[in-house]
């Protein structure tokens, strides 16, 4: 077994975070890191980790996936790019759009997509776990971000060491 260097450990932690958020590219990761660092510097009441998670979890594509309005993250990105998503009655084409608290997200599926979606909900309605910071109405295909996501509100299937990610970008 090969020993991993300290830099390699930090790199692995960053890769785990990037892969958890569906292959986010390096430029986007650096941008979110810089924004989280800036907010932590300005308002010291919250931690860097919570700001970073809030930035990542309030992306439009992630919210659509977490609310189960889309079956996969790729499906969420596809309907965003095709103009089927509205936020406060404005069509949004940007998958990384930062959803603000109390924004109303509406999906306008076409008839053939609507049938597929209703079958998906009927078959999986018992197993749908929606995060506490989202309020979802499946009949109207609406979702509202009612609270800012925090690190404790996200159920990570993997252990991510945010301290090592911070050290990597220093």
């Amino acid at each position: 077994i090969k020993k991993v260097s300290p830099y390699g450990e930090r790199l692995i932690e960053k890769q785990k975070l990037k892969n958890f958020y569906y292959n986010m590219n390096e430029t986007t990761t650096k941008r979110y890191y810089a924004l989280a660092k800036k907010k932590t510097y300005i308002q010291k009441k919250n931690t860097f980790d919570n700001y970073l998670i809030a930035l990542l979890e309030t992306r439009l594509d992630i919210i659509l996936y977490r609310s189960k309005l889309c079956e996969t993250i790729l499906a969420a990105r596809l309907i965003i790019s095709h103009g089927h998503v509205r936020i406060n009655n404005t069509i949004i084409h940007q998958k990384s759009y930062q959803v603000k608290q109390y924004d109303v997200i509406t999906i306008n599926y076409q008839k053939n997509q609507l049938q597929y979606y209703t079958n998906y909900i009927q078959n999986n309605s018992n197993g749908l776990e929606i995060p506490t910071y989202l309020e979802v109405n499946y009949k109207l295909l609406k979702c509202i971000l009612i609270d800012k996501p925090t690190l404790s509100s996200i159920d990570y299937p993997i252990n991510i060491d945010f301290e090592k990610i911070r050290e990597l970008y220093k």
Side-chain angles (χ1 to χ4, degrees):
I1 297 176
K2 209 174 183 184
K3 189 174 185 313
V4 180
S5 69
Y7 175 78
E9 290 174 359
R10 294 181 203 128
L11 195 60
I12 289 169
E13 293 302 316
K14 181 192 73 166
Q15 296 296 3
K16 284 197 285 187
L17 182 72
K18 284 173 61 174
N19 289 333
F20 185 76
Y21 285 100
Y22 311 97
N23 268 342
M24 194 170 40
N25 64 31
E26 186 63 27
T27 307
T28 306
T29 307
K30 284 181 181 179
R31 187 179 78 232
Y32 285 128
Y33 171 81
L35 285 169
K37 187 176 175 184
K38 182 179 176 183
K39 281 190 173 187
T40 305
Y41 180 75
I42 294 170
Q43 301 173 1
K44 296 185 190 255
K45 65 182 178 183
N46 213 335
T47 65
F48 168 82
D49 305 348
N50 279 328
Y51 278 123
L52 184 61
I53 293 308
L55 287 169
L56 292 170
E57 288 290 326
T58 54
R59 284 174 54 106
L60 181 57
D61 57 350
I62 300 295
I63 285 186
L64 289 175
Y65 176 67
R66 295 267 188 261
S67 65
K68 308 296 189 232
L69 287 171
C70 292
E71 192 172 2
T72 65
I73 192 71
L74 296 175
R77 290 177 179 175
L78 188 68
I79 66 164
I80 292 167
S81 67
H82 286 202
H84 297 303
V85 178
R86 293 175 182 260
I87 295 182
N88 301 330
N89 285 330
T90 303
I91 295 174
I92 303 295
H93 293 282
Q94 186 183 7
K95 67 183 179 192
S96 63
Y97 178 86
Q98 288 292 310
V99 178
K100 295 166 196 65
Q101 197 168 1
Y102 303 116
D103 276 355
V104 178
I105 303 163
T106 311
I107 297 181
N108 298 325
Y109 279 116
Q110 293 175 345
K111 287 185 179 181
N112 58 347
Q113 295 168 320
L114 191 57
Q115 182 60 43
Y116 176 79
Y117 174 75
T118 50
N119 289 340
Y120 166 70
I121 289 294
Q122 288 171 351
N123 295 337
N124 300 306
S125 60
N126 294 337
L128 296 179
E129 286 187 29
I130 307 303
T132 56
Y133 55 87
L134 293 174
E135 188 177 290
V136 184
N137 183 333
Y138 291 111
K139 290 188 183 352
L140 299 176
L141 298 177
K142 285 189 178 185
C143 174
I144 301 174
L145 179 67
I146 55 173
D147 199 12
K148 286 283 183 189
T150 60
L151 190 57
S152 59
S153 65
I154 309 300
D155 185 28
Y156 284 108
I158 52 176
N159 187 18
I160 298 174
D161 187 355
F162 288 93
E163 181 63 35
K164 288 185 179 175
I165 294 171
R166 258 179 290 169
E167 289 172 6
L168 179 70
Y169 283 115
K170 282 186 178 176

